[in-house]
Amino acid sequence: MSEPLSAAEPHSVAELEDLAFELRSKLLNLCGTYEGAVHIGGDLSAADIFTALFHYGLNVDPTDIANPERDRFVLSKGHAAVCMYIAMAMRGFFSYDGIVDTYGQLDSAYGMHPCKVQLPGVECSTGSLGHGLPIAVGMALSARHRGDDHRVVCLLGDGETGEGSVWEAAMAARSNELGNLVAFVDRNRQLMTSFAEERVVFEPYPDKWRAFGWNVVEIDGHDMGDLVAAIDALPATDSNRPTVVIAETVKGKGVDFMEHNLAWHAGSLGAADLEKAMAALESTRKKETV
Ligand SMILES: Cc1ncc(C[n+]2csc(CCOP(=O)(O)OP(=O)(O)O)c2C)c(N)n1
């Protein structure tokens, strides 16, 4: 029988904000050293969500990654893998230097999209959008059948929810009364080459999830207090409605020249741009602490 898991340290909101700042700094540093393109826009929009999950909400233990009682995390927007790797490294799963040294190289465990075979600790291999939520539904259903009471948490991009498979999964989750399933949507209102409502009309977005029978929570995805409150208020795992947390975010959050900028869905930073990006990030922290 496995030992019970130790949940993340009970960090304060201020400590989590510091961790999110560190995560963004580490991301920018990697983006400045890696020669290829990094999906930096959607990494920065999700950085607070990753921090709240890996340092507060998820019941996972880096020293016991196969514990059957652990929560399962599925990164459906697999192109944000590097942000997940670094958040997990900061929680003790991996070495940050190992990520920086090998990211994106042939045979590296740290691919542009996550691979659970290459990187134990990652629960699901993703990258083709629209597949994570269906897999998470299967994992949550499996937990129900086994009588396990852990959560399955899935992070999606809002653009990704244009995929039909997401809504088939949403319907299946409600039909199977999966109160142990939680979806976070990174609602940054940008896709790859366009703004969300220009090409695909998502609104009234929360109503769409409500119509599929989900418990809907709407928050500011950059407000750590909101994220913590949403996690604290999640229904019990034996309840009968899945929950979606729609987190309003900004693509490129924290670096002024990347925010709301379609050019920064993916990109790389030269030395001069890295310095500019770091200064921009630092100035947001100064503003917040005044
Ligand atoms: C099935 C599939 N089609 C296309 C892509 C290429 N792609 C990668 S990211 C992306 C945009 C996704 O937008 P969104 O889900 O909103 O992610 P975010 O803006 O948060 O990066 C696309 C189309 C893919 N990975 N999978």
Side-chain angles (χ1 to χ4, degrees):
M1 193 72 179
S2 315
E3 290 296 309
L5 286 163
S6 60
E9 276 179 52
H11 287 298
S12 67
V13 167
E15 286 167 343
L16 291 167
E17 286 168 349
D18 285 347
L19 287 165
F21 181 87
E22 185 184 337
L23 173 56
R24 286 193 168 88
S25 306
K26 287 186 149 103
L27 261 171
L28 291 178
N29 180 54
L30 179 133
C31 194
T33 49
Y34 177 61
E35 284 183 1
V38 174
H39 286 98
I40 191 74
D43 288 331
L44 289 168
S45 67
D48 299 299
I49 302 170
F50 278 117
T51 301
L53 289 176
F54 278 100
H55 294 274
Y56 184 80
L58 288 175
N59 190 29
V60 290
D61 182 345
T63 66
D64 190 7
I65 59 172
N67 191 310
E69 292 174 28
R70 73 195 186 280
D71 289 338
R72 310 310 199 255
F73 176 72
V74 175
L75 178 61
S76 200
K77 50 171 273 184
H79 56 284
V82 73
C83 193
M84 176 180 74
Y85 302 150
I86 298 174
M88 291 178 78
M90 288 170 60
R91 179 69 201 278
F93 279 85
F94 316 125
S95 135
Y96 173 66
D97 290 343
I99 299 169
V100 173
D101 289 348
T102 69
Y103 177 71
Q105 293 172 22
L106 198 60
D107 293 332
S108 169
Y110 304 107
M112 189 177 282
H113 298 100
C115 175
K116 69 174 196 170
V117 179
Q118 294 279 351
L119 194 58
V122 166
E123 299 284 355
C124 186
S125 303
T126 51
S128 184
L129 298 171
H131 292 171
L133 190 63
I135 295 169
V137 167
M139 289 168 139
L141 197 51
S142 160
R144 273 284 156 81
H145 283 309
R146 290 165 190 267
D148 295 344
D149 69 356
H150 60 261
R151 283 206 168 86
V152 181
V153 178
C154 178
L155 174 60
L156 301 106
D158 56 350
E160 176 185 8
T161 64
E163 297 278 358
S165 51
V166 171
W167 300 102
E168 292 176 42
M171 191 152 47
R174 176 65 185 111
S175 304
N176 287 284
E177 304 191 337
L178 298 178
N180 55 348
L181 176 68
V182 182
F184 279 77
V185 177
D186 180 0
R187 180 81 169 112
N188 60 34
R189 297 172 184 260
Q190 277 183 238
L191 315 178
M192 189 158 73
T193 53
S194 63
F195 291 97
E197 303 302 316
E198 279 173 8
R199 287 286 164 85
V200 184
V201 176
F202 288 87
E203 292 295 341
Y205 193 67
D207 288 345
K208 288 182 176 159
W209 286 95
R210 277 187 203 104
F212 277 77
W214 284 53
N215 173 35
V216 177
V217 181
E218 295 173 67
I219 63 165
D220 175 343
H222 299 309
D223 184 320
M224 202 52 82
D226 269 19
L227 281 158
V228 163
I231 290 167
D232 286 347
L234 286 175
T237 51
D238 61 359
S239 60
N240 63 3
R241 260 174 210 271
T243 295
V244 60
V245 179
I246 301 174
E248 282 289 341
T249 58
V250 172
K251 207 154 167 172
K253 176 69 178 177
V255 180
D256 52 5
F257 63 87
M258 292 183 182
E259 291 185 2
H260 305 289
N261 184 345
L262 292 175
W264 283 100
H265 170 73
S268 53
L269 285 165
D273 279 345
L274 175 60
E275 208 173 303
K276 240 174 79 186
M278 285 295 197
L281 182 64
E282 192 59 45
S283 75
T284 65
R285 175 128 109 161
K286 282 193 194 118
K287 259 186 248 158
E288 278 157 18
T289 51
V290 164

